[in-house]
């Protein structure tokens, strides 16, 4: 829907459209895109990781407007549909993931996607088989699981046994087979070693190490790289107050590393790319929830809201994303309380003993920096509660208000492939 209203304040929108409500500000999203391109050497491409937030209005804004456009990094046919709806051409889509099925590969290639991240020799063979069926050749980035890393991060993606990537120490032995898979051409490498780097020094250390590893892998493969995706790790607070990280030293450090290991990179050999999800959309979002009840149990206060892990923080079971913080007006009285959701499970906790205003049933609370890993990474269907509403605002105007619907449909026998 398209609408106009006199205010785009999150709490005013929540009163109008109900809670829980996400409000995404496209102006902040565009600022993040501008900043990220600004931290990088000229010519770098940026792939937006749809898993952070596939909302069509957000992903459309990342490829439109002033400045360089983001490309799309996806790993499902659902994300593919969102990318296509938002106007991303197949040529601007990188399809990733360790478990690509024949059906989704067929759909992706049939939709014009030609660039894939291959996680193993067999994954490469599956991509090649699908491309051959379509009478085409897929450009493949070999995802590499580097044996070593240079930084300690909140989410480590390399250096251990994993479903992600080809172990770097096996590339030389596998190279002849990798080069000969029908329906594929090795276009480059995909290395993603971390998420949410702790600081600029850690990010620089990891990305420059990645460049060094990529140069060695290029030698092992015996193939000149056309595209090198060095991953990401750009940091933004998650559901806590704070600002996106700044990276004033990154450009010079990356340029220096590339000059050493890929001396023709300034001429586009290879093209360079990073990928980012939360950095681009994280601080664009605010979650507004309404307090349903307040109770005390054995001396501890619990604020029960209508937003739980079915709305936000479903990934909190991984033990690395919460607690949240809520907005507190200057000078307001505060207290310690646990912010919990409405679900019938003790795991429905958004924050344990956090600082909150003195709240009563009916009050609204704001959780900041919730533009990434919100509804689509939560337990949306658990206990059958409605999905939260999602409002998009831009330049002081309301762009859209939508809600994800849960619909059960019947399958015909031919739909199941049986």
């Amino acid at each position: 829907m398209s609408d106009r209203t006199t205010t785009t304040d999150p709490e005013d929108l929540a009163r109008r459209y109900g809670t829980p409500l996400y409000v995404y500000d496209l102006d902040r999203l565009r600022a993040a895109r501008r900043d990220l391109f600004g931290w990088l050497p000229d010519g770098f491409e940026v792939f937006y990781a749809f898993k952070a937030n596939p909302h069509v209005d957000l992903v459309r804004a990342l490829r439109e407007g002033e400045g360089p456009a983001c490309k799309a990094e996806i790993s499902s046919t659902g994300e593919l549909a969102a990318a296509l709806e938002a106007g991303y051409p197949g040529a601007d889509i990188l399809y990733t993931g360790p478990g690509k099925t024949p059906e989704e590969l067929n759909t992706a290639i049939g939709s014009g996607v030609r660039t894939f991240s291959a996680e193993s020799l067999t994954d490469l063979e599956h991509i090649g088989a699908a491309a051959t069926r379509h009478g085409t050749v897929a450009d493949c980035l070999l995802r590499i699981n580097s044996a070593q890393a240079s930084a300690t991060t909140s989410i480590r993606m390399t250096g251990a046994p994993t479903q992600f990537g080809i172990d770097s120490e096996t590339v030389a032995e596998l190279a002849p087979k990798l080069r000969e898979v029908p329906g594929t051409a090795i276009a480059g490498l995909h290395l993603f070693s971390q998420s949410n780097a702790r600081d600029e020094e850690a990010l620089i250390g990891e990305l420059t190490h990645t460049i060094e590893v990529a140069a060695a892998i290029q030698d092992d493969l015996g193939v000149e790289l056309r595209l090198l995706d060095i991953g990401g790790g750009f940091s933004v607070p998650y559901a806590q107050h704070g600002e996106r990280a700044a990276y004033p030293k990154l450009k010079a450090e990356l340029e220096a590393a590339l000059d050493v290991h890929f001396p023709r990179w300034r001429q586009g050999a290879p093209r360079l790319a990073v990928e980012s999800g939360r950095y681009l959309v994280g601080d664009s979002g605010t979650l507004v929830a309404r307090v349903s009840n307040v109770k005390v149990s054995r001396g501890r206060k619990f604020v029960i809201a209508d937003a739980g892990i079915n709305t936000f923080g479903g990934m909190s079971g991984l033990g690395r994303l919460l607690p949240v913080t809520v907005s507190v007006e200057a000078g307001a009285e505060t207290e310690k309380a646990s912010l919990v959701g409405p679900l019938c499970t003790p795991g429905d906790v958004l924050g344990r003993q956090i600082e909150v205003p003195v709240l009563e049933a009916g009050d609204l609370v704001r959780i900041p920096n919730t533009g990434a890993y919100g509804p689509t990474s939560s337990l949306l269907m658990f206990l059958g509660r409605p999905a939260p509403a999602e409002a998009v605002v831009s330049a002081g105007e309301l762009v859209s208000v939508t809600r994800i619907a849960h619909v059960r449909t019947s399958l015909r026998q031919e739909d199941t492939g049986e």
Side-chain angles (χ1 to χ4, degrees), residues 80-92:
L80 172 62
L84 295 174
E85 183 180 350
Y88 287 78
D92 286 349

Side-chain angles (χ1 to χ4, degrees), residues 83-404:
L84 295 174
E85 183 180 350
Y88 287 78
D92 286 349
I93 297 174
L94 170 63
Y95 204 111
T96 69
K100 309 175 194 71
T101 67
E103 293 78 15
E104 66 182 291
L105 287 170
N106 182 67
T107 298
I109 294 172
S111 299
V113 178
R114 292 294 182 271
T115 307
F116 295 82
S117 175
E119 307 272 359
S120 62
L121 174 59
T122 49
D123 189 31
L124 186 67
E125 291 170 343
H126 296 161
I127 297 167
T132 299
R133 287 194 295 272
H134 282 265
T136 190
V137 174
D139 279 340
C140 293
L141 308 183
L142 302 182
R143 181 160 178 173
I144 302 300
N145 177 19
S146 178
Q148 295 181 329
S150 69
T152 300
T153 61
S154 59
I155 302 180
R156 166 59 47 201
M157 303 292 288
T158 60
T162 174
Q163 69 267 43
F164 297 107
I166 301 168
D167 295 341
S168 58
E169 65 273 21
T170 69
V171 171
E173 180 183 354
L174 288 173
K177 293 181 179 179
L178 293 168
R179 292 194 301 261
E180 296 171 2
V181 175
T184 69
I186 298 177
L189 301 177
H190 177 197
L191 296 96
F192 191 96
S193 59
Q194 64 176 339
S195 180
N196 216 34
R198 67 176 185 271
D199 53 35
E200 184 178 27
E201 181 181 356
L203 180 71
I204 290 172
E206 196 67 42
L207 293 183
T208 54
H209 175 71
T210 292
I211 291 168
E212 180 181 355
V213 169
I217 296 295
Q218 177 176 241
D219 292 340
D220 289 342
L221 277 173
V223 174
E224 185 172 359
L225 305 183
R226 289 183 278 128
L227 175 60
L228 172 59
D229 180 345
I230 62 174
F234 308 100
S235 179
V236 66
Y238 180 76
Q240 299 186 32
H241 288 88
E243 302 296 325
R244 282 183 289 104
Y247 300 105
K249 300 177 183 177
L250 180 62
K251 178 184 293 188
E253 294 287 349
L254 290 180
E255 289 175 342
L258 289 165
D259 285 340
V260 171
H261 297 289
F262 293 94
R264 296 196 302 121
W265 74 272
R266 296 177 191 269
Q267 289 76 49
R271 292 163 36 221
L272 280 305
V274 296
E275 57 193 83
S276 177
R278 73 176 72 199
Y279 190 84
L280 289 165
V281 297
D283 77 346
S284 71
T286 300
L287 172 59
V288 185
R290 189 177 298 278
V291 176
S292 302
N293 193 18
V294 178
K295 63 165 288 187
V296 175
S297 174
R298 296 195 170 112
R300 289 197 174 184
K301 182 168 284 189
F302 290 81
V303 174
I304 304 167
D306 58 5
I309 56 175
N310 60 317
T311 299
F312 178 77
M315 294 177 70
S316 63
L318 301 178
R320 55 183 172 236
L321 297 179
L322 301 182
V324 304
T325 60
V326 301
S327 296
V328 179
E329 294 182 6
E333 182 182 357
T334 65
E335 61 183 356
K336 292 282 189 180
S338 291
L339 182 64
V340 303
L343 306 182
C344 286
T345 171
D348 191 18
V349 179
L350 297 183
R352 298 184 189 277
Q353 294 299 294
I354 63 175
E355 200 74 25
V356 298
V358 177
L359 295 166
E360 298 178 352
D363 288 345
L364 295 174
V365 295
R366 296 190 191 195
I367 302 174
N369 290 319
T370 51
Y373 300 111
T376 56
S377 67
S378 300
L379 307 182
L380 273 181
M381 295 192 68
F382 186 47
L383 290 176
R385 299 183 70 90
E390 296 174 272
V392 178
V393 302
S394 177
E397 293 189 354
L398 184 62
V399 176
S400 67
V401 184
T402 57
R403 187 192 310 276
I404 298 171

